[in-house]
Each structure stands twice: as C-alpha cells, then as structure tokens.
Amino acid sequence: MLNIGLLGLGHVGQGVLRILLENADLIKERVGQALCVKSIGVRSPEKYQNLNLGGATLTTDIDSMLLDPELHIIVEVMGGEEPAYTYICKALKQGKYVVTANKEVVAKHKKTFFELAKTQQVDIYFEAAVAGGIPIIRSLKVGYAANKIQSLTGILNGTTNYILSKIEEEEKEFNEVLQTAQNLGLAEADPSMDITGLDAAYKLVILAAVAFKADIQLNDLDYEGIESIGLKDIQYAKELGYRIKLLALSKRYDDNRMSFGVYPTMIPEQHLLASVREELNAVYIVGNAVGDSLITGKGAGGSPTGSAIVSDIMDIAFDSTKKLSRRNLETNCQAVQILDSQELESQFYMRLIIADHPRVLEKLTGILGHYDVSIAKLIQKESHNSVAELVIVTYEVKEKNMQQAIHTLKKAPEVHRFLTYIRVKDLV
Ligand code: NAP
C-alpha cells in the first residue's frame, strides 16, 4: 500500500479524496497496490467534520505530518507560494514524492524542486497545475516525446475563455459576464489573477520547461489580460472572420531562439482553437514529427483537477519500484535565448473614437505610416456629433513600431479615446 498525505482539503483536495475512495478498486487493479490517504493537513479541521475522509486523520501539525515515515507521497493542494514552498521542500528532503496542483509555486521554484527531487531520488509531479484535467504534461513527456516541439499555443485559463465566449453568445459587456461567472463559481471573488493573464503566464512558464526544456521566469514573458475587451471588439472580430481568445503563445524559431507571451489574440474563426468555448482549456501543439495536434478538456474544478492529481499519484505508484523516474526530465532544463518581444511581428486590430472631420483619417494614417505601420483593413461605421468609431487592422508590424504608433495615436488631438488593441495571428 502507498500512503498519501494531503495538504489542503478544499475544492481540489476533496476531489482527490473522492476519486481515490470511489475508484479505489479500479486504481488498485491498475497499479497493483492500494493508494490510501492517511493524513490531511488543514488550518481549520472543524470545517471538514461532515466529510467522508475514508479513515484519514485531520491535522493542523503539518511539520510533524511531513516527518511521518509511513507517508510516501505528499499531495499539496493548498495553493499560494507560502507555506506551500516550504512544505514541498521539506517533503522532498524527507525523500517523499510530491504531487502539486499549485502553478504559482511550481512556476516560481521549479528549478529548486527538480534539483531537490533529483538529489533525493524522488520526483515532483504537477499535471494539475496546468490546464486542470487535460493530461498535457504527461502528453508532452510521453506522448509527444519523439518530437521537437516547434510551437505550443494554449487556452490555459477557463475563466477568461468563459467570459469571452459569453460576451459573444449573450451580447453582454465584460463586467456583466464576469459577475455571472463569479455567481456560477467560474471566477474567483478576486478575479485579477485570471483576467490580467497572470494565471496563464504562470502556466506557460511551466509548459516551457516541459515542452522546450526552457528555464524561463515570469519576467521573461509579456502578459496582457482581457480587461479592456468589450462586446464591440468581439463583434468586430466576428465581422472580420476572427474570434478573440486569451492565448499563451510559445514558439521556437529556426535559429533556436524562442518567444513566449500571453495576449488576447484574434485568430481565424475556422482555427481549431477558435471552437474551444466556455470554460474549456486547450493546448495546440506543432511538433516536427506529429504535425498539428490539439488536446482539450476541463481546466478546473475539483473533479477534473483531482483526476490529474490521482493520475500523477498512480504514475508514482507504477514507478515506485524504481529509484528514479525517467519521466520528469526537466532537471535538464536550461536557459534559452529569448527573442526580444519588441521584435516580434503581428498584425494588430485597434478600435478608437476619433473626431469625424475631413483630413482626420489622413492625419492618423500619417502617424501609422511614420512608424511603418500599414493598414490592411479600415472600418468606420457610426458617427454621432462629429465623433466616429474607427477600427483598423494592420499588416504585420514589429511590436516596438506598433507600441510607438499607439503611444502617438493616444496623444493625437483627433483621437478622443483609444479603446483597445488586440494582436491578430493566423497561427500557421
Ligand atoms: P481551496 O478550495 O481554497 O482549498 C485550499 C485548502 O488548503 C483548504 O482546505 C485550506 O484549509 C488549505 N490551506 C490553505 N492554506 C493552508 C495553510 N497555510 N495550512 C494548512 N492548510 C491550508 O483551494 P482549491 O481550489 O482546492 O485549490 C488548491 C490548489 O489547486 C491551488 O494551488 C489552485 O491553484 C490549484 N488548482 C485549483 C483548481 C480549481 O479548480 N479549484 C484547478 C487547478 C489547480 P482551511 O480551509 O482549513 O484553511
């Protein structure tokens, strides 16, 4: 029997416990031994008195729990950087395997964990930290192992995907849809980590290590959120044949340099990622052997996330006869040369409110031209009281040129309000 210690018994912890209890026979048959939760560390045990703990003991003394020689695996589902970081280090130093769903702590401290695990001849598993129930980490390590990954593009945040889908379907504005998502439990009371793109950025840092063996930090990538996207942007995107998704983008160039970023992005509506709706997550991979491939599924929720955690535990159980798992090869991950994001090229969509006078368009196209920005499409529909809404889609242009052009446009007296800009990518 393999004994497990759970740190945290919230949404995910309860999902893990439930799956281990409900599927106990199936799991035992598959891995050849029983997997049993022996103890559970929480802050307020009284909150969990009515749950079926399957014989596990609740404790607040996590330091002692981590010293228990009968625990083989520690499952960290508390969240946050501390004390999760300290507990994970302690568990690894005690020679215990660790499974975690915590993207923040893995993104920030992966190198320390991988090295500690290697020294102790154990391992740390984190399937649930990226895209919840989708087995993307294991797919990259095993299913796509024969490939040099050329690009990886993900919808890694279910909350923002839900909000963008609902703005389009229900023709409502961002704040109203966010409120509904909060009422449905699909967005946190404080949604900032999701809507600013930070959550997806943490996940991209982790995927970079697994897909590209690239040791990058949060500050190696730019991330932007969806706060400034309105119903009108989504409607214009539709008119132009696009859909807006919050994408985590990573790419390897021919000279082996790499780029990473998280941006709301317009993609062609016929692209596979465009059909990933509601709170679903997806990862689109281009490998040099497999070609294009898409994996999609639920990215959050106690049960899908619990599914990923229990599969990690089962993987450890499969491997527990060996001293060191050969699956988690990120100990080899290294610094990579990252392309300066200012040099990356994209098309851009912009929406702005301008003065509706003769020669205004000429002035604005002059500003764009000054920064080598060429216009591919221009839409001007509504005009009231000498004020008009203008939508511009550019041809491909370097990020730095576009940012300078936007900066100048924002200051131009003819521009009453610069509402939004969104990158446009064909993803080919
Ligand atoms: P949650 O519902 O807030 O539960 C957190 C649990 O951890 C609670 O039982 C809490 O115990 C315990 N805890 C927190 N701080 C603690 C501390 N200092 N000492 C002891 N126990 C502590 O969180 P969750 O939604 O299950 O998420 C857990 C982790 O999974 C996070 O890293 C999250 O990012 C990740 N994740 C969640 C989802 C999801 O759908 N929810 C999906 C993917 C990944 P008390 O109640 O006693 O304080």
Side-chain angles (χ1 to χ4, degrees):
M1 186 190 333
L2 273 185
N3 283 321
I4 299 158
L6 262 187
L7 301 183
L9 191 55
H11 294 101
V12 178
Q14 289 178 37
V16 170
L17 195 58
R18 198 168 47 243
I19 295 168
L20 284 170
L21 292 174
E22 278 177 20
N23 292 354
D25 292 344
L26 171 155
I27 290 169
K28 185 174 177 185
E29 195 183 305
R30 288 189 182 159
V31 299
Q33 56 190 328
L35 305 179
C36 168
V37 176
K38 182 173 178 254
S39 38
I40 305 171
V42 291
R43 278 179 302 207
S44 325
E46 64 286 354
K47 284 195 334 208
Y48 310 103
Q49 297 304 337
N50 297 327
L51 292 178
N52 173 11
L53 304 182
T57 314
L58 277 174
T59 178
T60 53
D61 185 1
I62 294 177
D63 286 315
S64 302
M65 182 178 151
L66 294 173
L67 294 174
D68 180 351
E70 288 186 3
L71 292 182
H72 303 100
I73 302 171
I74 296 296
V75 175
E76 185 276 307
V77 280
M78 299 185 333
E81 186 175 3
E82 279 291 3
Y85 169 74
T86 304
Y87 291 154
I88 291 175
C89 289
K90 277 191 181 169
L92 291 170
K93 282 180 189 159
Q94 288 298 312
K96 300 185 191 306
Y97 279 80
V98 170
V99 176
T100 177
N102 187 333
K103 68 224 138 205
E104 181 178 357
V105 84
V106 177
K108 288 182 176 165
H109 301 290
K110 57 188 181 324
K111 259 303 229 229
T112 308
F113 295 154
F114 298 152
E115 276 158 19
L116 259 180
K118 191 177 180 188
T119 311
Q120 295 298 323
Q121 300 212 323
V122 287
D123 220 329
I124 175 161
Y125 286 66
F126 44 90
E127 182 68 73
V130 182
I134 305 177
I136 182 59
I137 304 288
R138 194 159 292 107
S139 299
L140 285 164
K141 284 179 183 171
V142 184
Y144 297 112
N147 286 262
K148 187 170 189 175
I149 304 295
Q150 291 162 323
S151 69
L152 180 152
T153 308
I155 296 174
L156 302 179
N157 183 273
T159 304
T160 45
N161 204 43
Y162 175 87
I163 292 173
L164 292 171
S165 302
K166 288 294 173 193
I167 293 177
E168 180 184 343
E169 275 168 32
E170 297 180 1
E171 302 194 341
K172 290 181 179 159
E173 284 297 350
F174 176 86
N175 283 331
E176 198 179 342
V177 176
L178 172 62
Q179 183 68 60
T180 312
Q182 286 171 319
N183 295 342
L184 291 171
L186 292 168
E188 304 275 344
D190 173 5
S192 50
M193 188 149 155
D194 294 320
I195 65 175
T196 60
L198 175 60
D199 173 85
Y202 279 139
K203 292 168 179 169
L204 186 57
V205 168
I206 298 172
L207 285 179
V210 185
F212 303 106
K213 304 286 172 256
D215 181 22
I216 64 165
Q217 315 301 324
L218 194 62
N219 55 15
D220 289 324
L221 55 87
D222 290 342
Y223 64 90
E224 291 175 13
I226 62 164
E227 312 93 309
S228 68
I229 293 177
L231 172 60
K232 280 204 171 167
D233 298 310
I234 286 182
Q235 289 170 333
Y236 277 119
K238 204 170 178 177
E239 190 177 327
L240 292 160
Y242 293 106
R243 199 160 273 154
I244 303 173
K245 295 285 173 193
L246 181 66
L247 294 185
L249 294 143
S250 55
K251 190 169 173 174
R252 189 203 302 270
Y253 295 84
D254 290 343
D255 59 5
N256 266 336
R257 285 190 298 168
M258 308 215 49
S259 66
F260 301 95
V262 174
Y263 311 105
T265 310
M266 285 192 186
I267 55 173
E269 62 190 353
Q270 60 277 25
H271 193 279
L272 285 176
L273 280 172
S275 59
V276 177
R277 300 186 70 84
E278 310 265 316
E279 70 269 37
L280 287 183
N281 280 201
V283 182
Y284 186 80
I285 285 169
V286 183
N288 67 345
V290 72
D292 297 20
S293 178
L294 179 83
I295 323 185
T296 182
K298 284 195 177 163
S303 200
T305 313
S307 156
I309 289 176
V310 174
S311 71
D312 275 351
I313 298 172
M314 290 172 73
D315 211 2
I316 295 168
F318 283 135
D319 249 18
S320 65
T321 49
K322 298 185 197 127
K323 269 287 177 210
L324 176 65
S325 164
R326 297 299 304 152
R327 295 250 170 100
N328 282 353
L329 304 174
E330 292 77 23
T331 38
N332 303 331
C333 82
Q334 290 170 349
V336 289
Q337 205 185 340
I338 297 174
L339 257 176
D340 179 355
S341 61
Q342 294 297 304
E343 298 296 323
L344 295 177
E345 293 194 358
S346 277
Q347 286 185 266
F348 279 81
Y349 155 101
M350 287 176 275
R351 180 160 67 92
L352 45 170
I353 305 293
I354 57 165
D356 192 15
H357 297 310
R359 307 188 78 93
V360 167
L361 272 183
E362 196 182 323
K363 169 87 186 289
L364 300 184
T365 51
I367 292 176
L368 292 173
H370 178 74
Y371 295 104
D372 286 335
V373 182
S374 316
I375 296 175
K377 283 177 195 152
L378 194 142
I379 306 173
Q380 184 182 334
K381 280 188 184 162
E382 298 163 24
S383 174
H384 305 289
N385 305 328
S386 304
V387 166
E389 183 171 76
L390 183 71
V391 164
I392 296 174
V393 180
T394 72
Y395 282 111
E396 282 212 326
V397 54
K398 281 196 174 160
E399 184 82 27
K400 67 176 174 201
N401 292 39
M402 195 65 230
Q403 294 300 345
Q404 286 167 348
I406 290 171
H407 184 72
T408 310
L409 283 174
K410 283 182 174 171
K411 288 193 302 192
E414 295 81 1
V415 176
H416 289 210
R417 279 168 68 206
F418 187 98
L419 292 166
T420 188
Y421 69 89
I422 301 171
R423 290 162 192 81
V424 180
K425 289 186 185 283
D426 284 340
L427 296 183
V428 283

